[in-house]
Structures are given as structure tokens and as C-alpha cells.
Amino acid sequence: MSANRRAGSKKKPASKARASGTKGARSRAARKGASGAKSKRASTRDPKASLFSRLLRLVLLLAGLGLGLLVPWTLWLNHLITTEFEGRKWDLPSRVFARPLSLFAQMPLTASQLERELEAAGYRRADDAGQPGSWSRSGATFDIHRRGFRFDDGFQEALRFRLTLADGRIVSVRDAVGTSLGLMRLDPAEIASIYPLHEEDRTLITIDQAPDLLVQGLQAVEDRNFKHHHGLDPRGIARAAAANLKAGRTVQGGSTLTQQLVKNYYLENDRTLPRKVNEALMSLLLEWHYSKAEILEAYLNEVFLGQQGNQAIHGFGRASEHYFGQPVERLQAHQVALLVGMVKGASLYHPRRNPERARERRDLVLASFEETGLLAPGEAATWQARPLDVVAAGARSSNRYPAFLELVRDQLQRDYREADLRTEGLRIFTTLAPFEQQAAEAAVTHGLKQLAERGLDPELQAALVLADSDAGEIRALVGDRNPRRRGFNRALNARRQVGSVIKPFIYLLALEHPQRYSWLTRLEDEPITLTQADGQRWAPANYDGQSHGSVSLLEALVRSYNQATVRLGMNIGLNELLRKLQSLGVTRALPELPSTLLGAAEMTPLDVTQAYQPLASGGFAIALRAVTAVQTADGASLRRYPLRLDPVPQREAIAVLNYGLTQVVEQGTAKALPGLLGQSVTVAGKTGTTNERRDSWFVGYTRDRLGVVWVGLDDNRPARVTGSNAAMPLWAGLFRQLPLQSVSLDLPEGASWRWVDPLTATLSQADCPGASQMPFVTGSEPSTRSNCLEQQEQDADSFWRRWFDRD
């Protein structure tokens, strides 16, 4: 039984077994049927729906990734916008100005000189001088409308005045109602700029300085919905797209002013999709952070409006000065329209290169102004009738005088860093006189051409320095035969032997010893041999190859005798000469060699000018300067460079020497000069020639102008030049264009004029044979009387004796 239970427990009844097998079979069949049905449904699903599902998942994935990248990128753009815009600081070039022209009655001035000064300062000739910066002329009378200008001593308002000339002088200066004006000062010419390294030129303005017509007109033409959009203008984009599609080409842009600013200020000028996305995002961010006024002001200063050489003109402030010679606040409607029109294409509508196209664009903008109510009905036609009124191309050209600008920079770099000169927008006031600079350039250019026509080397180079001797101010400077060429500046950097122009300082030393020397002192012009420091023997000869025996001090200077000068110099002392030159302002070290007595010492033309300045001023040493004052960009005074006079000891000796240098011109090595000048005027001067005729020098001065000219070859080859055949004609070519006044021969205390007999070195009288009047330092005049003078005194004494005896 138990076995049966065990067996029963392990084996099912047959009926149950069958039932269980049937149910399992149905279950497996059901699962198989269900699986088959599911497989059948899957095989009949839409393949497009499956693809869409996959794409949707991909898009969601990419969107997630894009959002993950966009958020930090937008945050970075936001940081860029806020940091650069809030801390925006444009690099501003320094402006360099000429000296202002001061006008007053009896001032020497010709009509031609005045016209050239006005042209250099960017004044525009007109039928009526109704606008600041314009002038008109009727015969000898000029109507001039002076511009307002901030000088170092304060702001000077615009003013219209009338000036009359006659016989090379100003007769009167009167205001508009006829009241006489004591002094009228014109605003100075802008002669150069010291640009940032990226060569962008701009003058910053505030939105309050801009005329309302400019602010509103810019929006009317470029972005009429500017006040209402948030950086992007969908309607403007759609409108531009429709217009371009209709025209089949790009005829209209859809960018807002904000987008244009972002593109110009932050982005490169490429046309890629990423740049467009950045532009859109940054425009939205800019509008989010800043007001419309702030955005518009930045636009007014950033927009590109033309090219001047290598410099890009940015902003309406500089464009106004460049094209019209006016500050932006003084622009008239037709001038505003021209500049607004140039926003679309500064090169395409450039008023000097494409005047007709520029005028068409300007007139179209004026019509737009009228259409939007910015101009009254019919007013656009009035302005469209006006010419472009653009000033001459050279009136505001940059760096017209590169040699002078180099001198300015040299002097400024003692007080300012180069980075400050390039970025801080300094206003630099200089001593340059535009008319005199132009005359100097013409003298060099035409003079060298004439020398070549006379058979001299056509490669001759030249340098010229012109100074106001009384003020110590450089008025003109030329450093190359092509004055506008930048490069080696010979006026500042050409160290050449000076030849005989050093001799007057030896004679000055002699005249400072009145117990030993006067003009009548005899010198021996005989061969002399000296041993140099290197052991070589030196035997100077005269230019004509002859010795002249016993000559007077005056004759030795006038004829430029070498042997007599060397003897005199050795008697006085070579070291004395070097100390004298140093006391007169020459800082360059010169060799302590006997040959220095004849100018075998290298100096630049500027060095020579400095040495002669105390002579030309009558005994007042002044360090030559090219800069008078420096201001910040907004007109605050930074530094002034005032005139500093140092009286030279024994001024009476300089006054006596000046007479001797006038005799060099009247009867000596420069006696051809009066004929070259073509007018009767007393000039003091000295020629200089170096060995083998390599260098030609001439130094000459009138009452208030000192000029130094050098001519030679850069490689120092013999050039067949002398002081009188090369440098002197160039000097004359300059000075005959200037108003000339005879050099002053007034004598200070300690010197006096005396009549003498030069042959016997005795005192004489005006009516005695061979008598000559010349100056003497007190104590150096002759003590003995000539036979003629003694006879006259005896005759006078006899006359009075007879007169009294008769009584």
C-alpha cells in the first residue's frame, strides 16, 4: 500500500495528463499566434512614421545640445557686450596744429600770402563769407569768417571781420559793423595727426553736439523703426528681402542701426552664418542693456565715412572736419545729407572722387528728409541747388610736413610716451608757419632743379631750417629734395662738416677781447703748419690757393681767409671755441682738433641754426622749439613751453660781429646775394664750403628770420658745390618770398660807431679820403688820429682862434 501511494504520488491519472497536455498545447499555440499577430502588425507599420520618430528624437537631442551650448555662448556675448561697451574708449590720434596767424594793422602781409594761409587752415572761398570757415575777396579787401577755436589761453568765438591790404601791409582790421580791431587771431591749420597703430582717425562727439537733423535724419534714412525695435526689425528685414527679390539684386539692407554698430564695433566683416547669428544675439543684448541714446552716440562715433591715405575716417565728428573743415555742430542741411548718404557706401559716394554720384545720393537723402517731415515742403529743393561745399583735398590732409613733424615728435618724447601720443587725442600746438613752410619747400624743389640745369649733379640733396630768431621758434623745416617724402630727415640727422660757417664764432671770441682785437687788427694770412693729435701734419690753404699777407680782422672774415683764421683761432684757443659754441646752445661734441677751426666738424643744419640764433637775435640765447603747448582732447591745458631768454655775456661783441657779417654779403664771399634777392635789404650772412667741394652751406638772417641751407650728396662724394653756388641760391629763393626787414645794426651799451681809416687803423672823419664807419667794442677803437682828422681839427682850431682874435 505504501508503495502504491508512493507510486501514485509520482504518476498522474491518464485523464488529467491528457487534459494538461491539451491545455499546454493551447497555451503555446496562443503564444505563438499572438507573437505571429504582433509580428504581422509590425511588418505592416508606415515606414515614414518610423523615420519621423527617429528624426524627432534627433532634433530633440540636438536642441538639447544646442541649448546647452547657446546658453553659455549667450552669456559670453553678454559679458563681451557689457565690458567693452561700458568701458569703451576709442584710441584717438593726437592733432598737431600750426601757429595761429595773428593779424594787425601795419603787419607785413601780401594778398597771396594771406590766401595761402587761409587755404592751409581749411578755409573755403565763397561768394559771401556767411559761414565760419569761409572767406571772400574784393580787390584788396578780404571778408573772413573766423571759426571758433579752443586755444591754450581759452576759447575764441567765431567772428566775421574785414581786412584791407595795401603795399604789402595790412591797412585795417575791422569787425562787421566797422569797429577797428586791434588784433585778430585766426584758428590754426591742422597740419598733422599722430595716429594709433590701427590707423583709425576720429573726433569724438556727444549726441548733444550732433545737429538734430543728423540724429533724426540718420534714423529716417538708415532705420526708421529705430525707436521701436529691440535690436532686430523683422518688418525691415522682410521689406528689404521683398525689394531685393523684386530687383533681382541687393538694393536695400534690413540691418538696424544697432546691428550696424555691432558689426562695426565687435565683429569681422565676413558674411558667414555664425557671424549673422552673433550679430543678431549681440544686437538684442545691446538693446537690452543700453538706451537708444547711448547706442546712437556710439554709432555716430564709430561709422566708417571714408579713407585718407592709410587712415580710415570714422565718425561724423571727424568726417565733418575732413570734408567741410567744420565742427559737426555747424553743419548745414545739405552737408548733413551728404554725410548720411555716405553711410551706405563711403567709397562709392566719396564727394571728391565721385562728386556726381555723391550729389545724386545727397539729393536723394534730402528728399527723404522732406518726406519724413524733417525739412519743410519745398526746402529740399533749396538745399539740392547748393554745391557739395567740400573743402580742398589738401586743406585737412594728414602729415603734410613730415620733416617738421619728426622734430615735433622728438621734442614731445621728452615729456610723453609714444602710446600717449598715439591714443590720448592730445592737441599739440606748434610753431610752423604754413606760408613760410610752403615757400621753403618751393625754394628747395625749384632751387635744386635750377642747379641741375646749370650742370650740377641732379642727385643733390638739400636741407633747410627757417627760424624766428627773436622767439626761437622753427617756422619751416625741409629734410629732403622731395619735401613730402618721409624717410631720412637731413635737417635733423645729416651730420656734415660745416666748413667756413664756423668761422664767425672765432671772430666773435676775438671781439670779446677789446684790448687785443678790433676790426682793424692786423692778421697774417700766411702758410701755417700744425701737428694734429694723431701726429699728422696739417697745412691749411686758402680757397684761391694764395696767401694774402697782412690783412685786417674784418677783411679776413669777409674774404673767408683760412690761414688768417687758423692763426687767430690758435691764438685765442681751440678749447675757447668749443666752450663758446656750447654756451650758444650747441650740445653736440666737436673734435678738439685744429682742423675744427675751419669747420672740419660735423653738425646738422638744426645744430647750425641753434648756434647762429643768439647772433641773429642780438645776443639772446633761446633753445629752438617746435612745440608751444599741449592740451588734452577736451581742451584742458597739459603743458606749456614758454619762451626763455638767456642774455649772452658781452652782447656788444655780437652786435659788432653782425656788422662784419653784413659786409660778407655786401663785398665778400656772398656778394652775389643782393642780386639774387632782387631787393634792397641789409642781410647778415656766411657761406661755407668743405674739402673737395662736398658740402655747400649758407647761413643768413634779417631782422627777424634766420635761415640755414645745406646742399650736398648723401654718399659724401665731391659735388662741385660751394657756399655761394648752391646753398645761397636756395636761401635767396626762400627769402625773396618773405616780407623782409633789414637786420638790426643798433648797438647796445658798450659799443659805438666810429669813422676810421682802415689802411692806417686810425680815427677819421666822414669827409676824409678812404674813411669808413664801423662799430667797435668800447676800448677797441683806435686811439690815434689820421692825418686828415688832425688837419681838420687844426683847421677848426685855427678858425676859432681867428674868430676870437678878431674880436
Side-chain angles (χ1 to χ4, degrees):
M1 178 186 266
S2 60
N4 289 339
R5 281 199 294 271
R6 285 195 297 270
S9 64
K10 291 183 179 180
K11 187 175 181 181
K12 296 179 179 180
S15 60
K16 288 187 177 181
R18 283 195 296 270
S20 176
T22 304
K23 185 177 179 181
R26 284 199 301 267
S27 176
R28 286 193 297 273
R31 287 196 299 270
K32 184 176 181 182
S35 176
K38 189 174 182 180
S39 176
K40 185 176 180 181
R41 286 196 302 270
S43 65
T44 59
R45 183 180 295 172
D46 188 355
K48 292 183 178 180
S50 178
L51 178 61
F52 175 78
S53 176
R54 293 175 187 172
L55 288 175
L56 180 60
R57 287 197 299 271
L58 179 61
V59 168
L60 291 175
L61 176 62
L62 291 176
L65 291 173
L67 186 61
L69 294 174
L70 182 62
V71 170
W73 182 246
T74 303
L75 292 174
W76 163 246
L77 292 180
N78 185 68
H79 171 74
L80 182 66
I81 285 285
T82 54
T83 54
E84 291 201 15
F85 197 82
E86 289 178 4
R88 65 189 183 278
K89 180 180 179 295
W90 283 280
D91 289 342
L92 301 178
S94 293
R95 306 290 180 208
V96 184
F97 298 95
R99 64 92 181 93
L101 179 63
S102 296
L103 304 167
F104 52 89
Q106 298 308 309
M107 172 185 170
L109 187 70
T110 67
S112 173
Q113 292 166 1
L114 179 56
E115 287 189 1
R116 289 165 72 176
E117 287 279 353
L118 291 170
E119 179 184 355
Y123 277 70
R124 179 177 53 83
R125 188 167 188 173
D127 295 333
D128 176 71
Q131 188 178 10
S134 63
W135 64 278
S136 63
R137 178 183 176 183
S138 177
T141 298
F142 287 75
D143 279 331
I144 303 172
H145 203 149
R146 181 186 71 185
R147 289 183 289 243
F149 190 83
R150 185 173 298 282
F151 287 95
D152 194 53
D153 56 4
F155 187 78
Q156 175 181 271
E157 297 290 345
L159 180 68
R160 185 171 180 174
F161 66 95
R162 176 168 293 181
L163 179 147
T164 303
L165 301 170
D167 299 324
R169 290 183 178 273
I170 297 176
V171 175
S172 64
V173 183
R174 301 181 182 276
D175 64 16
V177 297
T179 303
S180 180
L181 301 171
L183 179 71
M184 178 56 56
R185 182 171 59 174
L186 291 179
D187 52 300
E190 184 182 315
I191 59 172
S193 295
I194 302 175
Y195 292 101
L197 294 176
H198 50 67
E199 300 286 356
E200 289 185 0
D201 192 6
R202 61 169 50 81
T203 298
L204 293 184
I205 62 171
T206 65
I207 196 167
D208 293 333
Q209 288 177 279
D212 286 341
L213 184 60
L214 173 58
V215 175
Q216 302 301 325
L218 181 64
Q219 298 173 60
V221 173
E222 290 294 318
D223 187 359
R224 293 191 182 183
N225 201 32
F226 176 72
K227 294 179 181 178
H228 307 291
H229 64 63
H230 299 287
L232 303 178
D233 184 8
R235 286 183 296 176
I237 296 172
R239 184 170 57 249
N244 296 337
L245 186 61
K246 182 178 179 181
R249 57 189 177 89
T250 302
V251 295
Q252 184 175 336
S255 295
T256 63
L257 289 176
T258 310
Q259 287 177 272
Q260 293 180 39
L261 175 61
V262 166
K263 180 177 65 176
N264 293 332
Y265 194 77
Y266 295 100
L267 303 175
E268 298 295 330
N269 194 25
D270 55 352
R271 295 177 177 272
T272 61
L273 180 60
R275 190 198 68 79
K276 281 292 186 183
V277 171
N278 285 337
E279 178 186 305
L281 287 173
M282 295 174 80
S283 298
L284 293 171
L285 291 168
L286 195 64
E287 291 268 358
W288 183 31
H289 284 291
Y290 303 105
S291 69
K292 293 289 186 179
E294 290 175 300
I295 293 171
L296 195 54
E297 181 173 288
Y299 185 94
L300 292 173
N301 287 301
E302 177 61 26
V303 63
F304 172 72
L305 288 171
Q307 195 82 15
Q308 177 182 304
N310 294 329
Q311 288 76 47
I313 306 298
H314 282 267
F316 285 91
R318 188 55 179 168
S320 177
E321 297 166 346
H322 178 66
Y323 294 112
F324 304 114
Q326 294 282 0
V328 68
E329 54 264 37
R330 290 193 175 276
L331 291 182
Q332 295 179 301
H334 66 304
Q335 297 168 325
V336 170
L338 177 62
L339 295 184
V340 170
M342 291 179 68
V343 171
K344 184 177 180 180
S347 298
L348 186 66
Y349 301 111
H350 195 287
R352 296 194 185 107
R353 292 194 292 267
N354 304 307
E356 293 302 322
R357 189 182 295 158
R359 183 162 188 163
E360 290 176 5
R361 176 65 179 163
R362 180 205 68 176
D363 292 349
L364 186 63
V365 171
L366 284 168
S368 180
F369 287 177
E370 184 175 298
E371 175 192 342
T372 53
L374 297 176
L375 294 178
E379 190 177 357
T382 302
W383 292 113
Q384 288 167 347
R386 294 286 296 271
L388 292 177
D389 283 341
V390 175
V391 296
R396 292 266 173 170
S397 62
S398 64
N399 304 347
R400 286 175 277 174
Y401 312 119
F404 181 81
L405 182 60
E406 183 177 343
L407 176 60
V408 168
R409 295 182 73 147
D410 285 350
Q411 296 191 0
L412 286 174
Q413 285 173 353
R414 303 169 191 169
D415 302 309
Y416 298 94
R417 300 179 307 162
E418 178 69 14
D420 294 333
L421 297 178
R422 288 187 176 275
T423 63
E424 294 300 321
L426 302 179
R427 290 159 53 87
I428 301 162
F429 295 87
T430 75
T431 62
L432 182 133
F435 165 72
E436 294 176 57
Q437 175 68 33
Q438 293 170 16
E441 293 178 357
V444 168
T445 302
H446 299 322
L448 290 178
K449 181 179 179 181
Q450 291 176 342
L451 295 183
E453 292 172 352
R454 285 168 31 201
L456 291 179
D457 197 316
E459 296 182 0
L460 282 174
Q461 273 290 356
L464 184 153
V465 182
L466 178 67
D468 181 328
S469 51
D470 291 336
E473 296 180 348
I474 303 296
R475 296 295 185 213
L477 192 139
V478 179
D480 191 281
R481 62 178 294 122
N482 179 357
R484 303 297 171 91
R485 180 165 56 198
R486 302 178 188 180
F488 185 59
N489 187 345
R490 293 157 189 82
L492 306 185
N493 303 315
R495 298 176 55 184
R496 305 293 292 236
Q497 292 192 0
V498 296
S500 295
V501 298
I502 206 172
K503 290 179 180 177
F505 302 101
I506 301 173
Y507 290 85
L508 174 61
L509 285 167
L511 294 171
E512 289 178 351
H513 295 80
Q515 294 78 20
R516 297 172 58 191
Y517 298 102
S518 76
W519 286 132
L520 302 180
T521 303
R522 307 305 292 183
L523 300 176
E524 293 301 314
D525 187 57
E526 295 290 351
I528 181 173
T529 300
L530 299 171
T531 302
Q532 301 268 49
D534 59 3
Q536 293 187 353
R537 297 173 67 80
W538 178 59
N542 288 325
Y543 180 77
D544 60 5
Q546 301 179 7
S547 299
H548 304 90
S550 178
V551 297
S552 69
L553 195 82
L554 180 61
E555 184 182 1
L557 172 63
V558 168
R559 307 294 179 192
S560 199
Y561 290 152
N562 290 337
Q563 293 170 339
T565 300
V566 170
R567 289 179 180 275
L568 176 63
M570 294 303 295
N571 286 338
I572 293 173
L574 176 59
N575 288 334
E576 289 296 316
L577 173 62
L578 300 181
R579 279 194 289 269
K580 172 58 69 175
L581 289 170
Q582 186 176 23
S583 72
L584 297 177
V586 177
T587 58
R588 193 177 303 279
L590 302 179
E592 297 182 18
L593 298 173
S595 55
T596 297
L597 296 168
L598 296 184
E602 294 180 344
M603 297 170 69
T604 69
L606 186 64
D607 292 335
V608 174
T609 308
Q610 182 66 76
Y612 271 83
Q613 181 277 322
L615 308 188
S617 68
F620 294 94
I622 307 169
L624 294 175
R625 58 185 179 148
V627 180
T628 59
V630 179
Q631 294 179 351
T632 63
D634 57 3
S637 180
L638 275 180
R639 189 178 182 91
R640 294 184 180 182
Y641 298 85
L643 175 66
R644 290 188 174 89
L645 294 173
D646 292 321
V648 177
Q650 296 180 274
R651 288 180 51 233
E652 62 275 12
I654 289 179
V656 172
L657 175 66
N658 282 340
Y659 164 77
L661 293 176
T662 65
Q663 298 308 295
V664 172
V665 174
E666 291 186 11
Q667 54 181 314
T669 56
K671 63 184 178 182
L673 181 60
L676 294 173
L677 285 175
Q679 53 184 301
S680 179
V681 61
T682 302
V683 176
K686 186 68 187 78
T687 57
T689 307
T690 60
N691 286 343
E692 297 184 310
R693 299 169 66 180
R694 299 172 188 269
D695 301 277
S696 169
W697 291 87
F698 185 75
V699 181
Y701 48 95
T702 60
R703 181 177 293 273
D704 61 351
R705 288 294 183 270
L706 163 64
V708 174
V709 178
W710 166 84
V711 176
L713 291 169
D714 282 342
D715 59 7
N716 206 28
R717 285 183 290 116
R720 298 187 297 119
V721 295
T722 66
S724 59
N725 81 348
M728 192 170 74
L730 269 64
W731 188 97
L734 166 60
F735 273 72
R736 64 171 168 257
Q737 299 180 66
L738 305 180
L740 299 183
Q741 302 179 69
S742 292
V743 66
S744 174
L745 294 177
D746 295 336
L747 299 178
E749 184 179 354
S752 60
W753 290 92
R754 296 298 181 93
W755 284 97
V756 296
D757 182 344
L759 293 179
T760 60
T762 56
L763 294 172
S764 188
Q765 193 62 272
D767 54 356
C768 287
S772 176
Q773 190 179 35
M774 61 182 63
F776 291 85
V777 176
T778 300
S780 70
E781 64 272 15
S783 57
T784 59
R785 292 169 171 76
S786 67
N787 292 334
C788 175
L789 179 58
E790 287 185 343
Q791 185 63 50
Q792 287 187 2
E793 290 177 345
Q794 291 174 4
D795 292 345
D797 182 64
S798 298
F799 171 80
W800 289 111
R801 285 181 182 276
R802 289 194 300 273
W803 177 266
F804 286 110
D805 288 346
R806 185 175 61 183
D807 291 342

